[in-house]
Amino acid sequence: MSSASLQPPADAQPPVRHPDAPAPGEPLGAHYEHCFGCGPGQPHGLHLEARAGDGVSLTAEFTVQPAHQGAPGLAHGGVLATALDETLGSLNWLLRTIAVTGRLETDFVAPVPVGTVLHLEAEVTAVAGRKIYSRATGRIGGPEGPVAVRAEALFIEVKVDHFTEHGREQEIQAAMSDPDQIRRSRAFEVNP
């Protein structure tokens, strides 16, 4: 049962996919080179790969590596929560909205062994002003595999200033000086 803060208000609207959002099936790519969740520049990161789905949904996957374990041979719960947060945050790219995680509620249903490919599905369920409500499910071994983790989340739309005022100057300047406009804007896309 989710918290009241994760329930959209009665006047919430259905999400609307932005007309410039990636097409269904298209990879979303990393939003930032050094992101622990999706960045290829993180040697021990998740290297999570997401693809746009229909509507405001997506699929993603990552392989649990030895560096991701908590108990011997099993994924750390915080790593699984990170995978869910990264997946849910990637949904905002389909809305073309800069947003940060306001609340993430995670259910751990089954252990996830090292070496497992975790398949994730996520969707935005509603939007109310600056609040974006979403949910995700992670399955072991395939899109039809057993459920291992679930989450519901509330993201809050912010301006890019949120990142430039609170981030470390060196990384902000490096991201802002990227000549690729899409990579530059996506660097400030998700997470607090």
Side-chain angles (χ1 to χ4, degrees):
M1 175 110 169
S2 64
S3 306
S5 63
L6 293 174
Q7 297 303 312
D11 63 345
Q13 300 295 310
V16 177
R17 183 188 192 101
H18 192 279
D20 295 331
E26 192 173 313
L28 299 183
H31 76 88
Y32 176 55
E33 173 79 13
H34 301 290
C35 173
F36 181 78
C38 65
Q42 281 290 344
H44 297 296
L46 304 184
H47 303 163
L48 187 130
E49 296 179 3
R51 289 189 176 277
D54 294 324
V56 187
S57 71
L58 60 76
T59 59
E61 62 180 43
F62 86 99
T63 301
V64 179
Q65 301 295 324
H68 303 147
Q69 64 190 311
L74 296 174
H76 190 287
V79 167
L80 297 174
T82 300
L84 288 160
D85 184 44
E86 185 68 31
T87 301
L88 290 159
S90 294
L91 288 164
N92 297 313
W93 185 240
L94 301 175
L95 299 171
R96 287 293 176 100
T97 299
I98 298 172
V100 296
T101 309
R103 183 172 184 86
L104 176 68
E105 194 167 293
T106 305
D107 295 318
F108 300 96
V109 180
V112 180
V114 169
T116 297
V117 176
L118 191 66
H119 295 264
L120 299 124
E121 294 181 357
E123 68 177 337
V124 174
T125 58
V127 176
R130 294 177 44 227
K131 296 180 177 180
I132 302 164
Y133 298 86
S134 54
R135 64 178 167 227
T137 303
R139 296 175 179 272
I140 295 174
E144 305 302 319
V147 172
V149 291
R150 286 189 291 264
E152 290 187 65
L154 169 64
F155 281 78
I156 308 297
E157 182 178 353
V158 296
K159 297 195 180 317
V160 75
D161 297 357
H162 171 88
F163 299 96
T164 59
E165 290 175 9
H166 300 289
R168 212 164 61 156
E169 186 67 25
Q170 179 181 355
E171 285 85 355
I172 291 167
Q173 290 307 317
M176 296 287 275
S177 64
D178 190 323
D180 184 312
Q181 183 178 2
I182 301 243
R183 273 198 319 256
R184 190 171 56 240
S185 66
R186 288 202 66 202
F188 300 100
E189 175 184 66
V190 292
N191 296 329

